[in-house]
Amino acid sequence: PGARSGVGLALAADPDAASRAWNVDVFGSWEFRKSFALYGRLGYVQSEAQASYAPGFVGGDPRRTRDGVNYGLGLRYDMSPALGLRLEYARFGRLPGEVAGVLPETDQLQFGLQFRF
C-alpha cells in the first residue's frame, strides 16, 4: 500500500503535491521547395498544481493556474525522406512551478533533428 508502480520518473514524494499537465498540439506543413517546408503548431495546454503555486488567487479553483493556447512557426529541411533539420520559434504558457521571469508565457527558439519512420 502506498507504493508507486509503473514506468516513469517521480520527483515529488507525495503524488498529490505534484503538478499535472497535458498538452495537445496540431502541426501542419507546406512544402514550398523541394526539401524545404514551413510548418505551424497550434495547441492547447491545461495544467493543475498545488495551491502554493497560485499566489494571489481570487475565486475559482485554486489549483487551475494555466489554461491556454500555444503556437509556433518553423522551417524544416529534409536531408532524406527519414531525416530532417528543423528550426522553430514557439510561444508556450508557463506551467505551474516555473519561476523564471514574471511574464505568463515563454518564448522558445528550438533547433532539432527530426527522424521519421
Side-chain angles (χ1 to χ4, degrees), residues 7-113:
V7 177
L9 175 64
L11 299 176
D14 180 13
D16 294 331
S19 64
R20 293 177 185 88
W22 60 267
N23 184 41
V24 175
D25 286 340
V26 175
F27 289 88
S29 66
W30 172 60
E31 188 172 339
F32 62 93
R33 282 189 81 161
K34 185 178 179 176
S35 301
F36 282 97
L38 279 175
Y39 68 93
R41 161 201 305 253
L42 182 62
Y44 182 77
V45 62
Q46 186 177 68
S47 63
E48 296 178 358
Q50 63 183 165
S52 64
Y53 290 141
F57 161 72
V58 178
D61 184 356
R63 295 174 303 157
R64 184 66 35 110
T65 59
R66 177 71 181 146
D67 291 347
V69 175
N70 55 58
Y71 52 91
L73 184 64
L75 177 67
R76 188 182 71 237
Y77 170 65
D78 295 327
M79 297 181 288
S80 72
L83 186 64
L85 293 174
R86 63 181 188 88
L87 179 66
E88 178 182 357
Y89 165 78
R91 177 166 273 199
F92 295 91
R94 194 170 304 284
L95 293 175
E98 291 182 336
V99 188
V102 294
L103 298 175
E105 287 97 18
T106 59
D107 294 328
Q108 297 179 5
L109 184 61
Q110 302 173 9
F111 178 73
L113 188 61

